[in-house]
């Protein structure tokens, strides 16, 4: 039985941070879980190395693209090793073996009549490498909010429009193809609106895979990147993938473009795309461009990798967005791991050591106990939850079993039983200690995918002879802890952390790690460099009418994370409808009543179907969020800026 899963291949214009780690940890959990179910599970990750952003980042770092990508790709690989993640294949898009597979995919699509040549002129976001249909140059990119540039290119187009029906059929016939459900519905309604053909080559970029027979063209990064999932296992009997695990922002590429490319090429489709949510930091998506990232390494050094793994999978419902904070991280660790599981392990094993000379007692009668039947139900519930990637639900069920054992220990009071010499008390003491130890054995098995290092420590302390690495989930059946077995050497599994001290240490290490990564990247972030502006006459400047307005209403634009729709009073008869790419910097509520500056005589246009009659003036610091222009003194509505 084979199981093949992938993470996204990460861009090399940023060094690894906890967002990348989140997906890769989840993939590692699934890989370990599948292996414990008897699958030969293989996990692919890698680095996405082509495109203009990388070209620019390399230039800013004073390196060639190849030198630059070698460095950052190695950084990703090293990070996954340090964190103990089970990566089986690591593919780089600059690897010639990958190029061959991209060419093969293209040639099959070409032969089947799905590629044609056409010209494209229009706005393009260099940062996101995204063409935007209904926009103009200078408009904010609907994804990142940065101003777009106009490009004209002769491109090769992929006939995406031919796949609308077939894609809808796929989603219909295989409801599990896109998960979770809410994401599936989003994709279905998007595809139902109709699909435009997709440009899959670029002539403006050099750093990419050359298109066969078209000297000046390189492949569009997504045509190139998605194919990594196949090239990583080329020559093995492993395709199609069982699972592509991704963040929700790249769902369209995976759920629409990728199956369409494969259909066009006549190749088998992956079985599932699962899009998880974002890790947020103070309500905002963590990302390099927002400058609010945290790295995993400082956390690992202070609390161990299992503390982070547990937090990410227990605190956040997999599939939904979830907040990260050091307080919550350390809080969870202390409450659930140090005080919860860790404490249960140490008290149970200490009692076996003290009251039974370190020998696992008789299991007589325990199989029929309430805890044993709760354990059976829990095993089923946890496995079912993990099968559906509902990690937090599975962990919750397991912790309910651990609490029941805690309660049993308090009720039975082994420290009292041990003082009674009668046979019944002895039997009760044995049953209690066996039950607690057996639950811990089962817990170690169920937790092995989530907490590999600590579960192995619990396993050893229980005196288990075979390694947890080779254990299978069927060993969760009650009663496999052998009476008479000597327990191992005891030691703390989750030492309690002093919160303030641990957080201060993590923060200090985070500063060091940030500096180390910045040095690696050559200091400058990979954002587009501002072009020197052309000089204009005062008359030209006077053509721009900038006026002071007050925001009357503000609301997010549906389906565009960066856009806000506002109505702004400029002292005219009617307020203006204005769309601006500032939703990540300002909540709607912060804007109402605020004075803003509007470029008021621009041609009105539609942004995402909403009228924008004017442009809000803001500073756009490189790599940061937009900052609205404002005044220190009060200025009347309608006043003109000259
Ligand atoms: N190179 C593309 C993917 C190509 S796949 C064929 C890309 N790379 S990326 O470096 O930007 O990585 C994006 C992925 O990193 C997300 O899809 C998600 O898996 C992970 N995350 C990055 N930041 C994240 C959060 N703040 N929260 C959760 N996951 C995050 O897109």
């Amino acid at each position: 039985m084979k199981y093949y899963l992938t993470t996204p291949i990460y861009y090399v214009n940023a060094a690894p941070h906890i967002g990348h780690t989140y997906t890769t940890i989840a993939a590692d959990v699934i890989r370990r879980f599948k292996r414990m179910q008897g699958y030969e599970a293989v996990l692919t990750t890698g680095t996405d190395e082509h495109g203009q952003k990388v070209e620019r980042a390399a230039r800013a770092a004073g390196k060639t693209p190849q030198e630059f990508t070698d460095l950052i790709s190695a950084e990703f690989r090293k990070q996954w090793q340090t964190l103990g993640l089970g990566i089986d294949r690591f593919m780089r898009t600059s690897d010639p073996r990958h190029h061959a597979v991209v060419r093969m995919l293209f040639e099959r699509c070409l032969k089947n009549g799905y590629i044609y040549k056409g010209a494209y002129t229009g706005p393009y976001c260099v940062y996101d490498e995204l063409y935007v249909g209904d926009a103009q140059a200078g408009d904010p990119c609907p994804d990142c909010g940065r101003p777009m540039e106009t490009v004209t290119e002769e491109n090769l187009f992929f006939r995406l429009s031919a796949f609308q029906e077939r894609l809808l059929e796929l989603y219909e016939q295989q409801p599990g193809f896109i998960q979770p459900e809410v994401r599936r519905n989003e994709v279905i309604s998007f595809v139902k609106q109709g699909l435009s053909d997709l440009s899959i080559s670029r002539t403006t970029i050099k750093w990419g895979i050359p298109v066969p027979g078209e000297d000046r063209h390189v492949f569009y990064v997504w045509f190139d990147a998605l194919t990594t999932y196949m090239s990583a296992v080329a020559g093995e009997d492993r395709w199609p993938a069982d699972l592509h695990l991704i963040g929700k922002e790249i769902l369209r590429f995976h759920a629409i473009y990728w199956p369409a490319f494969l259909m066009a090429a006549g190749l088998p489709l992956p079985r599932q795309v699962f899009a998880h949510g974002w890790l947020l930091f103070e309500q905002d998506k963590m990302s390099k461009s927002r400058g609010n990232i945290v790295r995993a390494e400082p956390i690992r050094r202070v609390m161990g990798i299992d503390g982070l793994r547990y937090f990410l999978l227990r605190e956040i419902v997999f599939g939904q967005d979830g907040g990260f904070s050091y307080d919550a991280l350390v809080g969870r660790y202390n409450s659930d791991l140090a005080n919860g599981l860790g404490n249960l392990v140490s008290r149970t094993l200490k009692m076996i050591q003290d009251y039974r000379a370190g020998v696992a007692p008789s299991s007589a009668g325990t199989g029929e106990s309430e805890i044993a039947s709760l354990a059976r139900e829990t095993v089923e519930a946890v496995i079912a939850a993990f099968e559906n990637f509902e990690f937090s639900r599975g962990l919750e069920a397991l912790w309910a079993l651990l609490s029941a054992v805690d309660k049993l220990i308090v009720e039975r009071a082994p420290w009292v039983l041990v003082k009674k010499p009668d046979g019944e008390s002895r039997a009760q003491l044995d049953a209690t200690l066996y039950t607690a130890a057996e639950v811990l054995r089962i817990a170690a098995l169920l937790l092995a995918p989530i907490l590999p290092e600590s579960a192995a420590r619990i396993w050893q302390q229980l005196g288990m002879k075979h390694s947890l690495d080779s254990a299978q989930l069927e060993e969760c059946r009650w009663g496999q802890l052998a009476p008479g077995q000597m327990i191992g050497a005891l030691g703390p599994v989750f030492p309690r952390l002093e919160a303030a001290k641990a957080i201060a240490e993590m923060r200090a290490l985070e500063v060091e790690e940030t500096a180390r990564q910045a040095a690696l990247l050559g200091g400058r972030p990979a954002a587009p460099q501002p072009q020197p502006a052309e000089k204009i006459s005062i008359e030209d400047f006077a053509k721009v009418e900038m006026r002071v307005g007050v925001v009357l209403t503000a609301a997010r634009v549906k389906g565009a994370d960066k856009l806000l729709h506002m109505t702004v009073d400029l002292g005219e008869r009617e307020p203006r409808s204005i769309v601006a790419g500032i939703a990540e910097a300002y909540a709607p509520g912060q804007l109402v009543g605020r004075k803003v500056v509007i470029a008021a005589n621009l041609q009105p246009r539609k942004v995402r179907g909403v009228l924008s009659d004017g442009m809000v003036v803001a500073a756009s610091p490189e790599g940061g969020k937009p900052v609205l222009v404002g005044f220190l003194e009060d200025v009347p509505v309608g006043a003109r800026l000259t």
Side-chain angles (χ1 to χ4, degrees):
M1 283 196 304
K2 290 184 179 178
Y3 190 89
Y4 176 41
L5 78 160
T6 64
T7 74
I9 49 159
Y10 302 110
Y11 286 133
V12 289
N13 58 340
H17 61 68
I18 203 176
H20 309 120
T21 308
Y22 180 45
T23 315
T24 317
I25 283 180
D28 175 76
V29 168
I30 297 170
R31 172 185 177 274
R32 289 175 192 269
F33 175 70
K34 289 290 170 193
R35 289 191 165 207
M36 290 185 79
Q37 286 186 312
Y39 288 91
E40 188 226 330
V42 163
L43 167 59
T44 282
T45 189
T47 40
D48 190 353
E49 306 186 1
H50 290 132
Q52 201 152 343
K53 268 192 268 184
V54 175
E55 250 174 6
R56 288 183 181 187
R59 204 176 312 132
K63 297 200 160 48
T64 65
Q66 191 65 59
E67 286 165 353
F68 182 76
T69 54
D70 284 351
L71 203 67
I72 310 300
S73 180
E75 178 74 5
F76 272 95
R77 194 191 274 265
K78 199 172 87 214
Q79 172 77 129
W80 306 145
Q81 261 166 13
T82 313
L83 299 180
L85 305 182
I87 306 302
D88 302 294
R89 307 282 180 275
F90 188 99
M91 184 46 94
R92 304 178 52 182
T93 57
S94 59
D95 187 322
R97 287 170 301 177
H98 168 70
H99 295 200
V101 181
V102 173
R103 284 194 295 268
M104 175 279 289
L105 182 72
F106 171 75
E107 270 154 6
R108 291 180 75 120
C109 294
L110 183 69
K111 188 172 106 247
N112 294 340
Y114 293 107
I115 306 279
Y116 65 94
K117 215 176 237 184
Y120 173 88
T121 297
Y124 178 69
C125 174
V126 176
Y127 192 81
D128 288 318
E129 315 206 350
L130 183 77
Y131 288 113
V132 180
D134 57 348
Q136 294 176 8
D139 279 358
C141 162
D143 262 11
C144 72
R146 292 178 174 81
M148 291 183 290
E149 297 172 12
T150 300
V151 296
T152 297
E153 283 194 76
E154 183 201 57
N155 283 171
L156 293 170
F157 281 81
F158 174 77
R159 250 180 243 289
L160 185 62
S161 55
F163 291 91
Q164 182 178 2
E165 286 315 312
R166 267 191 272 175
L167 286 168
L168 289 171
E169 257 169 47
L170 165 72
Y171 310 145
E172 192 58 39
Q173 284 166 7
Q174 290 180 45
F177 181 74
I178 305 169
Q179 283 296 312
E181 206 53 26
V182 34
R183 304 281 162 239
R184 172 171 181 261
N185 294 337
E186 274 170 23
V187 172
I188 292 179
S189 51
F190 183 83
V191 173
K192 278 189 176 157
Q193 287 167 25
L195 295 172
S196 313
D197 290 348
L198 183 73
S199 148
I200 56 150
S201 74
R202 298 286 181 270
T203 52
T204 45
I205 303 171
K206 304 244 151 0
W207 178 235
I209 303 178
V211 177
E214 299 288 345
D215 294 353
R216 290 170 38 252
H217 295 245
V218 298
F219 283 107
Y220 166 49
V221 279
W222 278 98
F223 192 86
D224 165 354
L226 288 159
T227 309
T228 316
Y229 299 142
M230 287 181 79
S231 62
V233 292
E236 301 174 43
D237 176 23
R238 229 169 267 290
W239 187 260
D242 293 278
L243 173 68
H244 293 316
L245 200 61
I246 56 167
K248 65 181 181 181
E249 79 289 354
I250 54 175
L251 179 59
R252 278 186 201 169
F253 301 102
H254 284 79
I256 302 174
Y257 296 3
W258 181 226
F261 295 158
L262 292 167
M263 284 172 183
L267 292 167
L269 308 185
R271 301 203 171 86
Q272 185 168 60
V273 178
F274 187 99
H276 65 66
W278 285 340
L279 274 189
L280 308 174
F281 200 78
E282 289 162 3
Q283 303 308 312
D284 212 354
K285 182 188 178 213
M286 253 191 221
S287 72
K288 185 183 161 176
S289 57
R290 277 162 244 205
N292 62 353
I293 36 184
V294 169
R295 286 122 186 116
E297 182 53 13
I299 298 172
R300 183 190 72 84
R301 285 177 38 199
V302 176
M303 67 161 53
I305 186 61
D306 283 3
L308 177 62
R309 292 172 72 106
Y310 180 78
F311 174 82
L312 293 173
L313 294 159
R314 172 65 185 85
E315 182 86 4
I316 302 165
V317 175
F318 200 61
Q320 296 178 12
D321 291 350
F324 174 88
S325 76
Y326 287 118
D327 279 338
L329 171 72
V330 175
R332 271 270 172 217
Y333 174 92
N334 276 338
S335 69
D336 296 11
L337 298 179
N339 296 350
L341 176 60
N343 193 27
L344 183 62
V345 172
S346 64
R347 72 203 277 230
T348 302
L349 297 183
K350 182 92 181 35
M351 287 191 289
I352 294 182
Q353 193 175 54
D354 292 351
Y355 305 159
R356 289 290 178 261
V359 175
S362 153
S363 59
T366 59
E368 292 75 52
S369 67
E370 260 177 53
I371 294 278
S373 67
L374 180 63
R376 283 185 200 104
E377 282 165 30
T378 306
V379 168
E380 265 181 39
V382 173
I383 293 178
F386 287 5
E387 287 266 16
N388 293 326
F389 313 138
E390 294 172 326
F391 303 110
S392 55
R393 177 190 287 226
L395 290 170
E396 236 174 279
L398 183 55
W399 255 253
L401 174 65
L402 299 179
S403 308
V405 174
D406 264 332
K407 203 161 140 247
L408 177 83
I409 293 177
V410 172
E411 279 167 12
R412 294 272 178 89
W415 45 92
V416 176
L417 291 174
V418 72
K419 295 197 182 118
K420 298 187 182 167
D422 63 290
E424 196 181 324
S425 300
R426 287 186 61 84
Q428 271 221 350
L429 178 61
D430 280 352
T432 310
L433 295 181
Y434 185 89
T435 300
E438 176 61 355
V439 165
L440 290 174
R441 187 190 65 84
I442 293 171
L445 282 164
L446 292 173
L447 284 171
I450 310 259
L451 306 176
E453 289 181 359
S454 337
R457 247 177 270 144
I458 298 173
W459 193 251
Q460 275 162 8
Q461 295 192 19
L462 282 164
M464 301 306 295
K465 296 284 170 294
H466 62 300
S467 126
L468 185 57
D469 280 342
S470 61
Q472 297 286 294
L473 282 174
E474 27 181 75
E475 295 172 43
C476 283
R477 257 177 298 117
W478 188 269
Q480 298 200 24
L481 176 70
Q485 164 173 317
M486 272 303 283
I487 61 170
L490 306 190
V493 184
F494 302 105
R496 212 187 137 69
L497 294 174
E498 211 235 284
K501 184 162 160 275
I503 295 173
E505 276 172 23
M506 287 181 203
R507 287 193 196 279
L509 289 171
E510 172 63 28
V511 172
E512 274 177 30
E513 184 67 359
T514 308
R516 192 189 65 80
Q517 287 192 347
L520 194 73
L521 286 157
R524 294 305 294 163
Q529 302 296 311
Q531 300 296 316
E534 187 196 332
K535 303 269 185 245
I536 58 165
S537 68
I538 189 115
E539 289 77 20
D540 279 348
F541 175 68
K543 286 185 197 156
V544 182
E545 184 191 331
M546 283 192 278
R547 290 197 182 277
V548 176
V550 61
V551 179
L552 302 179
T553 64
R556 293 184 184 277
V557 175
K558 237 178 123 204
D561 294 338
K562 315 289 184 301
L563 299 181
L564 280 184
H565 176 215
M566 300 179 282
T567 49
V568 181
D569 178 6
L570 289 180
E572 300 166 328
R573 227 154 42 99
E574 297 281 331
R576 301 270 190 119
S577 162
I578 291 173
V579 177
I582 56 172
E584 289 186 328
Y586 297 91
Q590 284 175 284
L591 293 170
V592 175
R594 178 172 175 147
K595 296 256 172 80
V596 288
V597 173
I598 301 294
N601 62 337
L602 297 175
Q603 301 270 9
R605 64 204 146 94
K606 287 226 162 152
V607 181
R608 289 281 168 121
V610 183
L611 173 72
S612 190
D613 186 8
M615 190 183 87
V616 69
V617 181
S620 308
E622 193 185 308
K625 297 175 189 171
V627 180
L628 287 173
V629 169
F631 299 94
L632 293 175
E633 291 85 13
D634 195 26
V635 190
V637 162
R640 182 161 182 189
L641 275 72
T642 52

